[in-house]
Amino acid sequence: MILVDPPLWPARGRLWSHLVSDHSIAELHAFAREVGLPVRGFERDHYDVPEQAYDQLLAAGAVPVSTREIVTALQAAGLRRRKSEVLGRRLPGSGLVRPPRLRRGDLVAVVAPAGPVPADRLARGVSVLESFGLRVAVAAQVLARHAELPYLAGTDAERAAALEQAWTDPMVRAVVMARGGYGVQRIIDGLDWAALAAAGPKVLLGFSDLTALHQAFTAELGLVTLHGPGVTSLGGPVDAVSREHLRRTLLQPELALDLVGDSATQTLVGGRATGPLVGGNVALLAAQLATPHSRSAEGAIAVLEDVGEEPFRADRLLTHLLRAGWFLGVRGIALGSWADCGDPAVVRAVLRDRLGPLGVPMLAGVPVGHGPANRTIPLGVEAVLDADAGTLRAVVPGLC
């Protein structure tokens, strides 16, 4: 039921009402769209509505109640939100908002904000998500291709609009990237962050070039995001263990705290570190430097992976991050896969040479990145890295 109190609250030269739902935020957003209320009027758990719209809301079906009844209804429905639970920019060191876990029957949207998508692997990946008991809606844009830039899945405007539409749809509980590939950086500055924030916390899942989106969502929304297999990865090389870890992360997150499992790891620098998880694809982390959305490794455990970078290029990327101060204050480093990066022994030597002098616990062989073993990492969640024991474990689930 949609409830509205009388326009009694003065602000900006007018009187205002509060519009709420006693059932769900999704119901509230749907009603607001029907009556034409702007998204910018949403605040935490209600819409602020000017007195001129009060009669229109009643005519549309909103039930008039007192302000006390508004508060009581929100509390009874579990919808009263503290400021700390509202999406938006966070001060450095502040905790991030964890999205709610998924349940069987929830709707998941698939979008392609970067490179073009192979249809066969897309279909197989959708089947994997459906096997989790989820409903999947694939955006019409997903199989698009830019007419002049064939490495992009449609124009920047098309890719940004698909992402925004999926995220702000009140029925969608998670937005999963179809694949990575170059292109995410081109749309970040065009996203309507106020509208994305107003839609509330949801699951964002992807990896590789989606690192840019993880960093932007952290910076703009203060949201924990999931670095893990996209849809075409699920329909391609990702192994059964990683698929099961993703399923648990989404639906039973308390069973997905172990981020290494039985994978063989190697201790490069011994010790133990605690801090929030940050990182992703090294090339994208370097490309994000000097932008408003670069989130450094200060006070955190950096999870790093890459693909197709020869040892000298990996050296160049890491050196650039070091010189730019990205690693200042890092507490630990978890190294994932470096697929197709040349001789593994030389790559390992580069990593040890560049990052070893930081003197923090460093573990290699963590099952993250471009390969069959790609565990889902909740970026922004506190974790413990024990390089001596070869473990990386989240302190709390990525989803609440």
Side-chain angles (χ1 to χ4, degrees):
M1 184 183 301
I2 301 297
L3 312 176
V4 62
D5 63 2
L8 299 174
W9 303 94
R12 302 190 295 277
R14 289 188 286 183
L15 296 177
W16 297 76
S17 296
H18 302 114
L19 185 75
V20 306
S21 165
D22 67 354
H23 174 64
S24 70
I25 297 297
E27 180 186 55
L28 177 61
H29 285 315
F31 181 87
R33 283 206 309 274
E34 290 176 4
V35 297
L37 293 180
V39 173
R40 63 179 179 274
F42 181 71
E43 175 66 30
R44 286 192 283 170
D45 48 26
H46 66 275
Y47 276 83
D48 291 318
V49 183
E51 56 188 320
Q52 293 88 339
Y54 182 73
D55 290 338
Q56 175 193 359
L57 297 178
L58 297 184
V63 177
V65 296
S66 68
T67 301
R68 181 180 294 274
E69 288 173 298
I70 288 274
V71 174
T72 299
L74 287 174
Q75 291 174 338
L79 299 177
R80 179 92 274 187
R81 291 182 175 178
R82 300 187 298 272
K83 285 188 177 180
S84 62
E85 298 172 334
V86 178
L87 297 187
R89 285 184 168 269
R90 294 285 193 278
L91 293 174
S94 300
L96 303 183
V97 176
R98 291 184 296 154
R101 70 184 63 200
L102 303 186
R103 291 175 169 78
R104 293 180 66 85
D106 279 348
L107 181 63
V108 172
V110 176
V111 299
V117 179
D120 56 341
R121 285 175 54 182
L122 174 70
R124 291 198 298 269
V126 167
S127 295
V128 173
L129 291 175
E130 290 175 338
S131 75
F132 296 168
L134 302 170
R135 295 182 295 124
V136 182
V138 179
Q141 163 273 337
V142 164
L143 293 177
R145 187 180 289 259
H146 195 290
E148 298 177 344
L149 304 175
Y151 51 84
L152 298 175
T155 66
D156 294 350
E158 289 169 343
R159 301 196 317 282
L163 176 57
E164 284 186 9
Q165 183 177 353
W167 191 265
T168 57
D169 185 332
M171 302 305 296
V172 169
R173 299 290 304 281
V175 178
V176 183
M177 305 303 119
R179 62 156 292 180
Y182 178 75
V184 175
Q185 288 177 297
R186 293 174 57 117
I187 70 171
I188 288 177
D189 294 330
L191 294 173
D192 185 342
W193 291 106
L196 298 178
K202 300 183 180 188
V203 174
L204 180 78
L205 172 64
F207 81 113
S208 191
D209 278 54
L210 278 304
T211 294
L213 206 57
H214 287 299
Q215 291 234 313
F217 268 62
T218 298
E220 293 284 353
L221 305 182
L223 181 68
V224 167
T225 61
L226 299 183
H227 180 286
V231 180
T232 57
S233 291
L234 291 173
V238 170
D239 61 27
V241 175
S242 297
R243 288 196 296 270
E244 173 59 15
H245 187 261
L246 172 61
R247 187 196 68 79
R248 292 184 180 185
T249 301
L250 295 175
L251 293 114
Q252 298 172 291
E254 65 280 353
L255 302 181
L257 300 180
D258 184 354
L259 305 178
V260 171
D262 296 331
S263 297
T265 56
Q266 302 84 44
T267 302
L268 299 189
V269 179
R272 179 183 171 96
T274 301
L277 297 164
V278 68
N281 183 267
V282 170
L284 267 294
L285 294 173
Q288 287 281 97
L289 291 173
T291 72
H293 299 131
S294 179
R295 181 175 174 82
S296 78
E298 182 179 4
I301 296 171
V303 181
L304 306 175
E305 66 85 31
D306 218 315
V307 61
E309 299 289 354
E310 290 294 323
F312 77 91
R313 289 203 295 264
D315 184 318
R316 181 170 59 203
L317 292 167
L318 292 170
T319 299
H320 183 48
L321 287 166
L322 286 163
R323 295 185 66 224
W326 191 85
F327 284 104
L328 287 177
V330 66
R331 293 180 180 174
I333 298 174
L335 298 169
S337 68
W338 294 73
D340 301 323
C341 289
D343 185 339
V346 178
V347 173
R348 186 66 50 81
V350 169
L351 297 172
R352 186 182 289 110
D353 177 83
R354 293 287 70 204
L355 302 178
L358 294 170
V360 300
M362 183 160 58
L363 185 67
V366 176
V368 175
H370 292 74
N374 189 10
R375 306 293 193 274
T376 303
I377 303 294
L379 296 175
V381 164
E382 194 86 0
V384 177
L385 172 68
D386 189 331
D388 296 319
T391 60
L392 179 64
R393 186 176 180 86
V395 174
V396 296
L399 309 183
C400 60

